[in-house]
Amino acid sequence: MAPLTRSRSTKPLPEIPEVATVIKKPTIKKPRLTKPKPKLTKTSLDLEDLLTHIRVPDDLALPQKYIDNHSEEFIKGIKHVLKVDPSLYPVIVHQDFTRFGSVLYDEKKQDDKDKIHTYWYSLIRSVIGQQVSGAAARAIQTRFEALFKGAIPTPGKTLEFTAEELRAVGLSNSKVKYVQSITEAFNDPNNHLTQLDFYEKSPLDEILVELCKLKGIGIWSAKMFAIFTLEEMDVFAEDDLGIARGMARYLNKRPELLKKIKADSINDEETKLLLKKRLKFFNKTDSKRTWTPIHDGYVKYAARPFEPYRTVLMMILWRLSSTNIEVLEKLDE
């Protein structure tokens, strides 16, 4: 048998068309007709840098509208501050103080018969607001007030609630104890804190000592109570973060004053004791702060010339401590 062989085709092969090489044209981006939005960046300018357009009058006279919008005693304090340091004039007058010192805030004072009740509830609110956000504090306070079923909260009624009922409104175990401790003190007619004469006739330091005997009330809380509830004019909280930041910005812009404070306080016993303690707001290497902390001892010493109106100074330092959009929007033209 003959072997099988593959026969060759006699048909011509089809022509293969040449493939054209396609060259892509580079795309040309059209230029934008609108400018891109600028990136938001932090500014190194402090509030004082933004108020250089405000002229300081030779007689340091305050605008009449500014005087009308603040209490008489607060204006006395402002004038004293300006006497010590006239350079603070722009920071003071560019915007009214809407809380402490304002006429509207002053008009909210309670009658004598309601003052003790106001003092008690102010301390209760202080405890409620500790270590929680403002929104959380308001929610807890609302639930706390709901326990009274439309009636005004009182120390006597508060003592009738069990610890479980108080915890149910959002108070922690420790805060329940604080509320009960403060309430027991204000429910005792023999306690100094329930007597108006004690607040009116006692030195501030003595009042602060009594307040700090209450569970949950430390020296910072006691000072805030003295400022915003008792409306004391000569309170100074050097251990407050906002005050520390405001004073640091104030003194760092006045290096000669800072140098003088350090030199003058060398022989001051109180300052020497404070300087032995570690700086409270220590500036760690990984800190994101935009300000350089100054020791608490120097901060407190720097406030001395402003006595007996250091609370007014605190309002100014709080203003200096942070420049936010709300402040910038209200800058004078």
Side-chain angles (χ1 to χ4, degrees), residues 309-323:
Y309 291 102
R310 288 179 298 172
T311 302
V312 178
L313 174 66
M314 284 185 66
M315 299 300 146
I316 298 167
L317 293 178
W318 271 325
R319 178 171 284 184
L320 285 174
S321 68
S322 59
T323 305

Side-chain angles (χ1 to χ4, degrees), residues 3 53 79 97-98 104 224 251:
H53 62 286
K79 289 180 178 179
F97 288 91
T98 57
L104 294 176
M224 295 305 108
L251 291 178

Side-chain angles (χ1 to χ4, degrees), residues 155 159 182-195:
L159 290 177
I182 294 169
T183 302
E184 286 171 358
F186 275 82
N187 202 50
D188 179 5
N190 296 319
N191 191 300
H192 291 315
L193 296 174
T194 64
Q195 301 165 10

Side-chain angles (χ1 to χ4, degrees), residues 205-216:
D205 288 343
E206 189 175 335
I207 296 173
L208 295 177
V209 168
E210 286 297 317
L211 288 168
C212 288
K213 290 179 181 179
L214 300 172
K215 291 182 180 179

Side-chain angles (χ1 to χ4, degrees), residues 110-124:
Q110 301 286 327
D111 295 332
D112 286 351
K113 63 180 181 180
D114 297 325
K115 280 185 177 179
I116 297 300
H117 175 270
T118 300
Y119 297 169
W120 164 74
Y121 201 46
S122 175
L123 293 168
I124 295 299

Side-chain angles (χ1 to χ4, degrees), residues 51-61 63 86 89-90 93 332:
L51 299 174
T52 54
H53 62 286
I54 298 179
R55 187 183 67 84
V56 180
D58 295 335
D59 59 357
L60 298 177
Y89 185 92
V93 303
D332 293 337

